[in-house]
Amino acid sequence: MKKIFTLITFSFLLLILINNSVLADNKISKVDSISKNLRCLICQGQSVYDSQSEFAISVKDLIKKKIEEGNSDNDIYEYLKNKYGDWIMYEPELDKKTLLLWILPLILFVFGGLLIFKKAFINYNKNV
Amino acid sequence: MKFKKLNLVLILLITILVFFALYLGMKKQNLYTTDHIVNKKMPNLISTELFTGEETNLSELVAKEKFTILNIWASWCAPCRSEHKHLITLSSNNNSKIVGLNYKDKIENAKSFISELGNPYDHILLDKKGFISIDIGAYGVPETYVIDNTNNKIIKKYLGPIDEFILEEIINILNS
C-alpha cells in the first residue's frame, strides 16, 4: 500500500514537473518567435531576439509578462506598434504604403511564368 | 506580331513599376523618427519615487504647471552627465516641472549621481525593468519629453542628450 502511494505521489510530481517544463518551453519559444520579428531600435540590423541591449532585454521581459497576462501575439505587436510605430516590425503589414512591395513580386512571378509558358508552348508547337 | 507588341508593352509597364517602387523606396527615410509620438497622450506613469520610496502618480505631481519635462536618465549613461548642466538650467524655469525617470539603475548609484552633479529634478521616478520607458515609447537613455499639461499631450521628444540648441528650443516652448 505504501509502495503504491509513493508511486502515485512520484508520478504526480513528475507529471507536474513535465507539464511546467513544457509550458515554460512554450512561453520561451513564443517570446523568441515574437522578438525575432521586432527590430532593435538602438542596434539597427539586429532583431530584439538577437540583441543584448538594455532596450531589447526589457522588450523581451515585457513580451514574457504580456504572454503571462494572456495577451495574444497580435496584442503584443499592436502594443509595440502603438509605442514605436510600424518601424519596430520587421515584416511590414499590407496597407496602402506597402501594397506595391507586396504585389510586385507576385506580378513579376505571374508575368515571368507566362513568358516561360508561352516560350515553351511556341517551342512545343514548332516541334510538333 | 501582335503578341510581340503586347509583350513589349507589358515589359515596359513592369519596368516602370519596378523603377517606381525602387524610387519610392529610395525616398523613404530608413531611420527611426519620433514623429509618431508627437501629439500623443502621455500614459499615466505610476512608479516609486527615488528618495521617498513612495508610489507616485506622474499626473498628480505635475498638475499645477503648464509643462512637464520628462527626462530619462541613468547613472551608468555617459551622455546623461553631459546634458545634466542643461537640465539644471531648465530647472529655474517657472512654467514647468522636471521629472526624472531613472532607467534600470542601482538606487545607490542614482543617488550618488545626483549628489555629485546636483538635482535639477522636482521628482525622480524609478523604472527598474524598463517597462515604463517602453510604455512611453522610449528606447534608451537619455531621452527627453516635453509634455503640455493642459491636454496631457507630448509636444516634443528628443533622442539623445540635450545640447545648447535643444536647450534653447525647450526654453522657447516653455516660454510660449
Side-chain angles (χ1 to χ4, degrees), chain B residues 53-88:
Chain B
E54 282 172 14
E55 189 108 315
T56 315
N57 190 325
L58 179 70
S59 60
E60 285 170 11
L61 292 178
V62 294
K64 287 176 190 166
E65 273 68 26
K66 197 176 170 193
F67 297 102
T68 301
I69 296 166
L70 181 73
N71 175 252
I72 306 174
W73 67 282
S75 67
W76 47 261
C77 145
C80 297
R81 283 183 170 267
S82 76
E83 74 166 6
H84 206 78
K85 57 180 183 287
H86 299 311
L87 288 167
I88 302 260

Side-chain angles (χ1 to χ4, degrees), chain B residues 37-130:
Chain B
I37 283 175
V38 174
N39 278 329
K40 264 196 176 178
K41 286 249 174 205
M42 186 69 184
N44 190 21
L45 310 184
I46 300 166
S47 186
T48 314
E49 233 275 342
L50 173 70
F51 291 109
T52 61
E54 282 172 14
E55 189 108 315
T56 315
N57 190 325
L58 179 70
S59 60
E60 285 170 11
L61 292 178
V62 294
K64 287 176 190 166
E65 273 68 26
K66 197 176 170 193
F67 297 102
T68 301
I69 296 166
L70 181 73
N71 175 252
I72 306 174
W73 67 282
S75 67
W76 47 261
C77 145
C80 297
R81 283 183 170 267
S82 76
E83 74 166 6
H84 206 78
K85 57 180 183 287
H86 299 311
L87 288 167
I88 302 260
T89 309
L90 282 173
S91 65
S92 59
N93 191 292
N94 294 326
N95 286 338
S96 67
K97 262 195 177 173
I98 306 184
V99 177
L101 187 65
N102 182 247
Y103 181 78
K104 297 179 99 173
D105 208 350
K106 283 184 180 158
I107 289 180
E108 56 269 32
N109 292 354
K111 283 180 178 171
S112 62
F113 180 95
I114 293 295
S115 66
E116 184 195 336
L117 298 173
N119 189 0
Y121 304 110
D122 295 291
H123 302 278
I124 300 172
L125 303 179
L126 300 175
D127 184 13
K128 286 178 189 165
K129 292 183 175 174

Side-chain angles (χ1 to χ4, degrees), chain B residues 137-161:
Chain B
Y139 64 79
V141 277
E143 283 189 24
T144 305
Y145 293 72
V146 182
I147 305 151
D148 186 343
N149 292 338
T150 53
N151 53 15
N152 193 33
K153 279 188 176 171
I154 297 162
I155 49 177
K156 200 83 188 176
K157 179 185 170 181
Y158 300 98
L159 301 172

Side-chain angles (χ1 to χ4, degrees), chain A residues 111, chain B residues 7-17:
Chain A
F111 182 68
Chain B
N7 275 350
L8 204 70
V9 170
L10 270 173
I11 288 169
L12 204 70
L13 268 176
I14 285 178
T15 312
I16 290 168
L17 203 65

Side-chain angles (χ1 to χ4, degrees), chain A residues 41-42 44 54-55 57-59 61-62 65 79-80 82-85 87 100 104 107-108 111 115 118, chain B residues 3 7 10-11 14 17 20-21 30 32 36-37 40 43 103-104 129-131 133-135 137-139:
Chain A
L41 299 176
I42 46 172
Q44 285 180 21
E54 289 296 337
F55 169 71
I57 292 167
S58 294
V59 172
D61 288 345
L62 186 75
K65 185 178 161 242
Y79 172 81
L80 290 167
N82 183 266
K83 301 299 172 191
Y84 296 104
W87 179 243
L100 203 59
L104 199 62
I107 292 172
L108 289 175
F111 182 68
L115 274 181
K118 223 181 89 186
Chain B
F3 271 119
N7 275 350
L10 270 173
I11 288 169
I14 285 178
L17 203 65
F20 183 63
N30 236 9
Y32 176 71
H36 64 280
I37 283 175
K40 264 196 176 178
Y103 181 78
K104 297 179 99 173
K129 292 183 175 174
F131 292 171
S133 297
I134 292 174
D135 202 36
Y139 64 79

